[in-house]
Amino acid sequence: MMLEIDTQQQNKLSGKPLELENELKTHCVDLASERVGGETLSCSDDFFAEMENLIKPGRGIFIDDKFTDRGKWMDGWESRRSYGRDNGRDFDWCIIRLGIKGVIRGFDIDTNYFRGNAPESVSVEACVSEVEPNADTVWHTILAPVAVEAHSQNIFAINDDTAWTHVRLNMFPDGGIARLRVYGEAEVNWEQFIDGELIDLAYIKNGGKALLVSDMFFSDKNNLIMPGRGKDMGDGWETKRRRDPGPDWSIVKLASQGSIEKVIVDTCHFKGNFPDTFTLEGMVSSSDDFSEGQQEDKWQPIITKTKLYAHREHLFINEIAVSSEQSFTHVRLNIFPDGGISRMRVFGKRNA
Protein backbone atom coordinates (compact mmCIF):
# COMPACT_ATOMS: atom_id res chain seq x y z
CA MET A 1 0.00 0.00 0.00
CA MET A 2 1.35 3.41 -1.02
CA LEU A 3 0.99 6.07 1.66
CA GLU A 4 0.84 9.53 0.11
CA ILE A 5 2.29 12.21 2.38
CA ASP A 6 3.02 15.64 0.97
CA THR A 7 5.72 18.04 2.06
CA GLN A 8 3.31 20.49 3.67
CA GLN A 9 1.84 17.72 5.83
CA GLN A 10 5.28 16.56 6.97
CA ASN A 11 6.37 20.08 7.87
CA LYS A 12 3.24 20.37 9.98
CA LEU A 13 3.94 17.05 11.68
CA SER A 14 7.46 18.14 12.57
CA GLY A 15 6.34 21.53 13.91
CA LYS A 16 7.03 20.64 17.57
CA PRO A 17 10.16 18.50 17.38
CA LEU A 18 10.97 18.35 21.09
CA GLU A 19 7.49 17.21 22.08
CA LEU A 20 7.36 14.73 19.21
CA GLU A 21 10.80 13.32 20.02
CA ASN A 22 9.80 12.83 23.65
CA GLU A 23 6.58 11.08 22.62
CA LEU A 24 8.41 8.75 20.22
CA LYS A 25 11.13 7.92 22.75
CA THR A 26 8.54 7.23 25.46
CA HIS A 27 6.19 5.00 23.49
CA CYS A 28 8.40 3.50 20.78
CA VAL A 29 11.75 1.80 20.24
CA ASP A 30 14.39 2.44 17.58
CA LEU A 31 13.72 -0.44 15.20
CA ALA A 32 16.86 0.27 13.15
CA SER A 33 19.45 0.56 15.94
CA GLU A 34 22.50 -1.66 15.56
CA ARG A 35 21.97 -2.62 19.21
CA VAL A 36 18.79 -4.52 18.30
CA GLY A 37 20.27 -6.04 15.13
CA GLY A 38 19.73 -3.26 12.60
CA GLU A 39 22.09 -3.39 9.62
CA THR A 40 23.01 -1.07 6.75
CA LEU A 41 22.98 -3.32 3.67
CA SER A 42 23.96 -1.11 0.74
CA CYS A 43 24.07 2.47 -0.48
CA SER A 44 24.60 4.45 -3.66
CA ASP A 45 27.79 6.04 -2.34
CA ASP A 46 29.60 6.57 0.97
CA PHE A 47 32.85 8.05 -0.28
CA PHE A 48 33.45 10.40 2.66
CA ALA A 49 31.80 8.59 5.58
CA GLU A 50 30.54 5.03 5.94
CA MET A 51 26.84 4.17 5.90
CA GLU A 52 27.28 2.00 9.03
CA ASN A 53 27.50 5.18 11.13
CA LEU A 54 23.80 5.91 10.51
CA ILE A 55 22.55 3.43 13.10
CA LYS A 56 25.22 3.76 15.78
CA PRO A 57 24.25 4.91 19.31
CA GLY A 58 24.19 8.56 20.26
CA ARG A 59 24.33 11.62 18.04
CA GLY A 60 27.23 12.15 15.66
CA ILE A 61 30.37 13.75 17.09
CA PHE A 62 32.91 16.13 15.53
CA ILE A 63 36.71 15.98 15.82
CA ASP A 64 38.15 19.21 14.45
CA ASP A 65 41.53 18.01 13.23
CA LYS A 66 40.67 14.46 12.14
CA PHE A 67 41.03 13.74 8.44
CA THR A 68 41.26 10.62 6.26
CA ASP A 69 42.88 10.15 2.85
CA ARG A 70 39.46 11.00 1.35
CA GLY A 71 38.91 14.23 3.29
CA LYS A 72 37.40 15.36 6.56
CA TRP A 73 36.40 12.54 8.91
CA MET A 74 32.68 12.73 9.67
CA ASP A 75 30.59 10.68 12.07
CA GLY A 76 27.72 9.81 9.77
CA TRP A 77 26.95 8.75 6.21
CA GLU A 78 28.32 11.15 3.60
CA SER A 79 28.36 10.76 -0.19
CA ARG A 80 30.57 12.57 -2.66
CA ARG A 81 29.33 15.66 -4.51
CA SER A 82 26.93 14.69 -7.25
CA TYR A 83 27.88 17.00 -10.11
CA GLY A 84 29.12 15.07 -13.13
CA ARG A 85 27.42 11.92 -11.81
CA ASP A 86 27.17 9.31 -14.56
CA ASN A 87 25.13 6.61 -12.84
CA GLY A 88 21.75 7.93 -13.92
CA ARG A 89 20.54 8.75 -10.38
CA ASP A 90 19.72 12.22 -9.14
CA PHE A 91 19.92 11.36 -5.43
CA ASP A 92 21.76 9.11 -2.98
CA TRP A 93 20.20 6.28 -0.99
CA CYS A 94 20.94 3.77 1.77
CA ILE A 95 19.05 0.54 2.55
CA ILE A 96 18.71 -0.53 6.20
CA ARG A 97 17.41 -3.85 7.48
CA LEU A 98 15.45 -3.22 10.65
CA GLY A 99 16.63 -5.14 13.68
CA ILE A 100 12.98 -5.49 14.73
CA LYS A 101 10.16 -5.85 12.23
CA GLY A 102 7.57 -3.30 13.21
CA VAL A 103 5.11 -0.50 12.62
CA ILE A 104 6.92 2.81 12.06
CA ARG A 105 5.61 5.79 14.04
CA GLY A 106 8.31 8.35 13.31
CA PHE A 107 11.80 9.23 12.08
CA ASP A 108 14.65 11.29 13.48
CA ILE A 109 16.89 12.20 10.53
CA ASP A 110 19.79 13.88 12.31
CA THR A 111 22.28 16.06 10.40
CA ASN A 112 24.37 16.83 13.49
CA TYR A 113 27.65 18.61 12.49
CA PHE A 114 26.75 18.43 8.80
CA ARG A 115 26.63 22.20 8.47
CA GLY A 116 27.78 22.89 4.89
CA ASN A 117 27.21 19.42 3.50
CA ALA A 118 23.72 18.38 4.60
CA PRO A 119 21.20 17.31 1.91
CA GLU A 120 18.47 19.72 0.82
CA SER A 121 15.72 17.17 1.38
CA VAL A 122 15.10 13.52 2.21
CA SER A 123 12.49 10.82 1.76
CA VAL A 124 12.02 7.33 3.19
CA GLU A 125 10.62 4.21 1.56
CA ALA A 126 9.90 0.86 3.20
CA CYS A 127 9.30 -2.74 2.19
CA VAL A 128 8.49 -6.16 3.58
CA SER A 129 11.00 -8.77 2.45
CA GLU A 130 12.28 -12.07 3.82
CA VAL A 131 15.45 -11.70 1.71
CA GLU A 132 17.83 -8.83 1.04
CA PRO A 133 16.05 -6.27 -1.17
CA ASN A 134 16.89 -6.46 -4.87
CA ALA A 135 15.78 -5.05 -8.21
CA ASP A 136 12.40 -6.77 -7.88
CA THR A 137 11.62 -5.35 -4.43
CA VAL A 138 8.50 -3.17 -4.24
CA TRP A 139 9.17 -0.04 -2.19
CA HIS A 140 6.44 2.09 -0.61
CA THR A 141 6.89 5.77 0.19
CA ILE A 142 6.15 6.44 3.85
CA LEU A 143 7.86 9.84 4.06
CA ALA A 144 7.52 11.90 0.88
CA PRO A 145 10.38 14.29 -0.03
CA VAL A 146 10.68 16.93 2.68
CA ALA A 147 13.22 19.67 3.39
CA VAL A 148 15.69 19.13 6.23
CA GLU A 149 17.85 21.56 8.17
CA ALA A 150 21.61 21.33 8.54
CA HIS A 151 23.13 20.43 11.93
CA SER A 152 19.68 19.55 13.31
CA GLN A 153 17.39 16.77 14.40
CA ASN A 154 14.66 16.57 11.76
CA ILE A 155 11.78 14.67 13.34
CA PHE A 156 8.68 13.44 11.53
CA ALA A 157 5.59 11.53 12.62
CA ILE A 158 4.30 8.68 10.44
CA ASN A 159 0.69 7.49 10.29
CA ASP A 160 0.70 3.99 8.78
CA ASP A 161 -0.07 0.64 10.46
CA THR A 162 1.94 -1.64 8.16
CA ALA A 163 4.78 -3.61 9.77
CA TRP A 164 7.98 -3.23 7.72
CA THR A 165 11.29 -5.11 7.58
CA HIS A 166 13.50 -2.65 5.64
CA VAL A 167 13.72 1.07 4.94
CA ARG A 168 15.49 3.02 2.20
CA LEU A 169 16.67 6.50 3.18
CA ASN A 170 17.00 8.86 0.19
CA MET A 171 18.78 12.23 0.27
CA PHE A 172 18.54 14.86 -2.45
CA PRO A 173 20.80 15.49 -4.20
CA ASP A 174 23.71 14.31 -2.00
CA GLY A 175 25.44 15.16 1.29
CA GLY A 176 25.66 13.82 4.81
CA ILE A 177 23.35 12.51 7.54
CA ALA A 178 24.72 11.69 11.00
CA ARG A 179 22.06 9.32 12.34
CA LEU A 180 18.75 7.73 11.39
CA ARG A 181 16.30 6.70 14.11
CA VAL A 182 13.30 4.63 13.06
CA TYR A 183 10.87 4.81 15.96
CA GLY A 184 8.13 2.20 16.05
CA GLU A 185 6.45 -0.76 17.69
CA ALA A 186 7.61 -4.35 17.34
CA GLU A 187 5.43 -6.86 15.53
CA VAL A 188 6.15 -10.30 16.97
CA ASN A 189 5.42 -13.55 15.16
CA TRP A 190 4.34 -15.68 18.10
CA GLU A 191 4.28 -18.76 15.86
CA GLN A 192 8.08 -18.75 16.11
CA PHE A 193 7.77 -19.88 19.74
CA ILE A 194 6.96 -23.44 20.84
CA ASP A 195 3.83 -24.16 22.90
CA GLY A 196 4.70 -23.93 26.58
CA GLU A 197 8.05 -22.24 25.96
CA LEU A 198 9.21 -19.71 28.53
CA ILE A 199 9.52 -16.38 26.71
CA ASP A 200 11.34 -13.28 27.92
CA LEU A 201 8.26 -11.05 27.93
CA ALA A 202 10.27 -7.95 28.89
CA TYR A 203 12.79 -8.29 26.02
CA ILE A 204 12.79 -5.34 23.61
CA LYS A 205 12.96 -7.58 20.52
CA ASN A 206 9.92 -9.52 21.71
CA GLY A 207 7.96 -6.28 22.04
CA GLY A 208 8.67 -5.30 25.65
CA LYS A 209 8.74 -1.56 26.35
CA ALA A 210 10.46 0.44 29.09
CA LEU A 211 7.72 2.97 29.76
CA LEU A 212 8.78 5.11 32.68
CA VAL A 213 11.57 5.36 35.25
CA SER A 214 12.09 7.40 38.38
CA ASP A 215 15.51 8.55 37.15
CA MET A 216 17.92 7.84 34.30
CA PHE A 217 20.62 10.38 35.04
CA PHE A 218 23.52 8.21 33.84
CA SER A 219 21.95 5.95 31.19
CA ASP A 220 18.81 5.20 29.23
CA LYS A 221 15.81 3.23 30.50
CA ASN A 222 15.77 1.00 27.41
CA ASN A 223 19.17 -0.51 28.26
CA LEU A 224 17.48 -2.65 30.89
CA ILE A 225 15.74 -4.82 28.25
CA MET A 226 18.31 -4.75 25.44
CA PRO A 227 19.90 -7.89 23.88
CA GLY A 228 22.94 -9.55 25.45
CA ARG A 229 24.76 -8.65 28.64
CA GLY A 230 25.92 -5.08 29.12
CA LYS A 231 29.22 -4.28 27.45
CA ASP A 232 30.22 -1.76 30.15
CA MET A 233 28.74 0.29 32.98
CA GLY A 234 27.19 2.73 30.50
CA ASP A 235 25.20 -0.10 28.94
CA GLY A 236 22.62 -0.48 31.70
CA TRP A 237 20.08 1.54 33.65
CA GLU A 238 21.77 3.67 36.32
CA THR A 239 20.29 6.35 38.57
CA LYS A 240 22.02 9.17 40.41
CA ARG A 241 22.70 8.88 44.14
CA ARG A 242 19.59 9.37 46.25
CA ARG A 243 19.69 11.13 49.61
CA ASP A 244 16.57 9.35 50.92
CA PRO A 245 15.67 5.66 51.40
CA GLY A 246 14.35 5.31 47.85
CA PRO A 247 13.58 3.32 45.90
CA ASP A 248 14.26 4.14 42.28
CA TRP A 249 12.05 2.21 39.89
CA SER A 250 11.49 1.20 36.27
CA ILE A 251 8.12 0.22 34.75
CA VAL A 252 8.21 -2.19 31.81
CA LYS A 253 5.22 -3.13 29.67
CA LEU A 254 5.44 -6.83 28.81
CA ALA A 255 5.30 -7.92 25.19
CA SER A 256 2.15 -9.87 25.94
CA GLN A 257 0.09 -10.65 28.99
CA GLY A 258 1.56 -13.76 30.55
CA SER A 259 2.81 -15.63 33.59
CA ILE A 260 6.06 -14.84 35.39
CA GLU A 261 8.04 -17.99 36.20
CA LYS A 262 11.71 -17.02 36.03
CA VAL A 263 13.44 -13.67 36.54
CA ILE A 264 17.05 -12.62 35.93
CA VAL A 265 18.48 -9.42 37.40
CA ASP A 266 22.01 -8.76 36.11
CA THR A 267 24.35 -6.24 37.75
CA CYS A 268 27.14 -6.86 35.23
CA HIS A 269 29.85 -4.13 35.50
CA PHE A 270 28.10 -2.47 38.46
CA LYS A 271 30.68 -3.09 41.17
CA GLY A 272 30.62 -0.05 43.43
CA ASN A 273 27.18 1.21 42.51
CA PHE A 274 24.84 -1.79 42.38
CA PRO A 275 21.59 -1.58 44.38
CA ASP A 276 21.60 -3.13 47.84
CA THR A 277 18.21 -4.83 47.39
CA PHE A 278 15.31 -4.96 44.94
CA THR A 279 11.65 -5.92 44.66
CA LEU A 280 9.55 -6.81 41.63
CA GLU A 281 5.86 -6.00 41.32
CA GLY A 282 3.28 -6.67 38.61
CA MET A 283 -0.20 -5.72 37.50
CA VAL A 284 -2.80 -6.27 34.80
CA SER A 285 -3.81 -3.04 33.07
CA SER A 286 -5.03 -1.82 29.72
CA SER A 287 -3.45 1.59 30.34
CA ASP A 288 0.17 2.74 30.09
CA ASP A 289 -0.47 5.90 32.09
CA PHE A 290 1.57 5.81 35.29
CA SER A 291 2.03 9.56 35.67
CA GLU A 292 1.41 11.18 39.06
CA GLY A 293 0.86 7.88 40.82
CA GLN A 294 -1.80 6.60 38.45
CA GLN A 295 -2.76 2.93 39.09
CA GLU A 296 -0.55 2.76 42.17
CA ASP A 297 -3.07 0.55 44.00
CA LYS A 298 -2.90 -2.15 41.32
CA TRP A 299 0.69 -3.25 41.96
CA GLN A 300 1.09 -6.77 43.41
CA PRO A 301 4.32 -8.23 44.89
CA ILE A 302 6.07 -10.80 42.68
CA ILE A 303 9.47 -10.93 44.41
CA THR A 304 9.78 -9.44 47.89
CA LYS A 305 12.82 -7.42 48.99
CA THR A 306 15.90 -9.44 48.07
CA LYS A 307 19.66 -8.84 48.35
CA LEU A 308 21.73 -8.10 45.25
CA TYR A 309 25.48 -8.42 44.66
CA ALA A 310 28.04 -6.68 42.50
CA HIS A 311 28.77 -7.69 38.89
CA ARG A 312 26.58 -10.80 39.00
CA GLU A 313 23.70 -12.42 37.13
CA HIS A 314 21.03 -13.26 39.72
CA LEU A 315 18.49 -16.00 38.91
CA PHE A 316 15.16 -16.11 40.74
CA ILE A 317 12.64 -18.97 40.46
CA ASN A 318 11.73 -20.15 43.96
CA GLU A 319 11.63 -16.54 45.15
CA ILE A 320 8.67 -15.75 42.88
CA ALA A 321 5.67 -15.33 45.19
CA VAL A 322 2.86 -15.63 42.63
CA SER A 323 1.33 -18.67 40.99
CA SER A 324 2.22 -19.63 37.42
CA GLU A 325 -1.54 -19.47 36.79
CA GLN A 326 -1.51 -15.70 37.33
CA SER A 327 -0.66 -13.34 34.49
CA PHE A 328 0.57 -9.77 34.19
CA THR A 329 0.83 -7.00 31.60
CA HIS A 330 3.30 -4.70 33.39
CA VAL A 331 6.13 -5.09 35.90
CA ARG A 332 7.92 -2.58 38.12
CA LEU A 333 11.50 -3.16 39.22
CA ASN A 334 12.27 -1.27 42.45
CA ILE A 335 15.90 -0.81 43.51
CA PHE A 336 16.89 0.25 47.05
CA PRO A 337 18.07 2.88 47.46
CA ASP A 338 19.47 3.56 43.96
CA GLY A 339 22.23 2.33 41.63
CA GLY A 340 22.62 0.44 38.41
CA ILE A 341 21.15 -2.70 36.81
CA SER A 342 22.52 -3.97 33.53
CA ARG A 343 19.64 -6.21 32.39
CA MET A 344 16.31 -7.59 33.57
CA ARG A 345 14.77 -10.72 32.04
CA VAL A 346 11.19 -11.75 32.85
CA PHE A 347 10.40 -15.25 31.58
CA GLY A 348 6.88 -16.62 31.40
CA LYS A 349 4.24 -18.21 29.23
CA ARG A 350 2.23 -15.92 27.00
CA ASN A 351 -1.54 -16.00 27.36
CA ALA A 352 -3.14 -17.40 24.22
Side-chain angles (χ1 to χ4, degrees), residues 271-290:
K271 300 176 181 179
N273 50 354
F274 63 96
D276 179 59
T277 57
F278 86 101
T279 66
L280 186 69
E281 300 168 294
M283 74 160 64
V284 175
S285 177
S286 59
S287 172
D288 293 340
D289 183 8
F290 295 94

Side-chain angles (χ1 to χ4, degrees), residues 219 223-224 228-238 264-275 308-314 339-345:
S219 47
N223 291 343
L224 193 64
R229 297 191 77 190
K231 66 179 181 179
D232 53 37
M233 204 172 70
D235 185 14
W237 168 54
E238 183 184 1
I264 293 174
V265 176
D266 191 358
T267 57
C268 185
H269 301 295
F270 290 96
K271 300 176 181 179
N273 50 354
F274 63 96
L308 290 173
Y309 299 91
H311 191 53
R312 183 182 302 184
E313 191 173 73
H314 306 75
I341 301 286
S342 177
R343 297 289 187 270
M344 177 182 71
R345 307 296 185 205

Side-chain angles (χ1 to χ4, degrees), residues 279-306:
T279 66
L280 186 69
E281 300 168 294
M283 74 160 64
V284 175
S285 177
S286 59
S287 172
D288 293 340
D289 183 8
F290 295 94
S291 60
E292 299 178 354
Q294 294 289 325
Q295 309 188 79
E296 185 64 29
D297 59 336
K298 292 184 179 180
W299 291 111
Q300 175 184 351
I302 295 174
I303 299 176
T304 58
K305 189 174 283 191
T306 302

Side-chain angles (χ1 to χ4, degrees), residues 15-154:
K16 295 183 177 180
L18 291 177
E19 292 88 341
L20 181 54
E21 181 189 21
N22 183 63
E23 182 179 347
L24 291 171
K25 283 186 171 182
T26 299
H27 298 288
C28 302
V29 299
D30 182 2
L31 304 174
S33 169
E34 67 173 8
R35 297 187 64 198
V36 299
E39 182 182 4
T40 50
L41 298 178
S42 59
C43 68
S44 57
D45 182 88
D46 58 354
F47 183 86
F48 287 113
E50 297 81 5
M51 62 181 179
E52 288 83 1
N53 293 328
L54 274 176
I55 57 175
K56 290 184 179 299
R59 298 189 70 191
I61 64 171
F62 186 82
I63 302 176
D64 185 61
D65 58 351
K66 185 172 183 179
F67 287 81
T68 73
D69 59 358
R70 294 194 172 193
K72 181 72 184 75
W73 178 89
M74 294 296 289
D75 186 12
W77 166 49
E78 185 181 3
S79 67
R80 72 190 82 198
R81 301 192 187 209
S82 61
Y83 51 73
R85 182 182 290 176
D86 58 5
N87 61 10
R89 295 190 65 87
D90 58 0
F91 60 92
D92 282 307
W93 52 265
C94 181
I95 295 174
I96 297 107
R97 182 181 66 82
L98 301 180
I100 304 173
K101 180 181 179 181
V103 177
I104 296 171
R105 299 303 185 195
F107 296 107
D108 179 358
I109 300 171
D110 190 353
T111 56
N112 203 35
Y113 292 109
F114 287 91
R115 301 174 188 269
N117 46 356
E120 287 188 332
S121 60
V122 299
S123 71
V124 183
E125 300 162 288
C127 73
V128 178
S129 179
E130 297 301 320
V131 298
E132 190 166 318
N134 53 46
D136 298 322
T137 298
V138 177
W139 292 95
H140 305 267
T141 300
I142 58 174
L143 177 65
V146 57
V148 291
E149 296 182 8
H151 189 51
S152 300
Q153 287 179 263
N154 299 274

Side-chain angles (χ1 to χ4, degrees), residues 190-199 349-350 352:
W190 296 109
E191 294 181 357
Q192 294 179 346
F193 296 92
I194 301 168
D195 287 345
E197 177 180 358
L198 287 181
I199 302 168
K349 297 186 181 73
R350 173 179 174 265

